[in-house]
Amino acid sequence: MNGDASDGPVRIGVLGAARIAEAFVAAVRGSTALEVTAIASRDLDRAARFAQAHGIARALGSYEALLADP
């Protein structure tokens, strides 16, 4: 990434699906420079519910899985 606008938004994965994650996702939602593309929780069902509720493409059942994802 060279900072050129054609590179698109920076893709972000969020660790945790608690209240602070909701506040963060809401704050990022209006940005054209950032995009939340994944959410990880120790509970895959919780991550999936959070992802569905917030329009996030991917849900993962562990923090390690998100950290290992390119």
Side-chain angles (χ1 to χ4, degrees):
M1 181 171 202
N2 62 14
D4 188 342
S6 65
D7 289 334
V10 173
R11 296 176 301 161
I12 297 173
V14 176
L15 297 170
R19 229 180 281 179
I20 191 71
E22 288 191 24
F24 178 78
V25 169
V28 169
R29 188 165 313 282
S31 173
T32 58
L34 303 171
E35 178 185 8
V36 177
T37 60
I39 182 81
S41 174
R42 290 175 287 176
D43 178 335
L44 180 56
D45 289 336
R46 182 178 175 136
R49 286 190 307 272
F50 188 101
Q52 184 175 15
H54 297 282
I56 299 171
R58 299 188 61 219
L60 298 136
S62 74
Y63 301 145
E64 294 81 8
L66 178 59
L67 294 172
D69 189 338

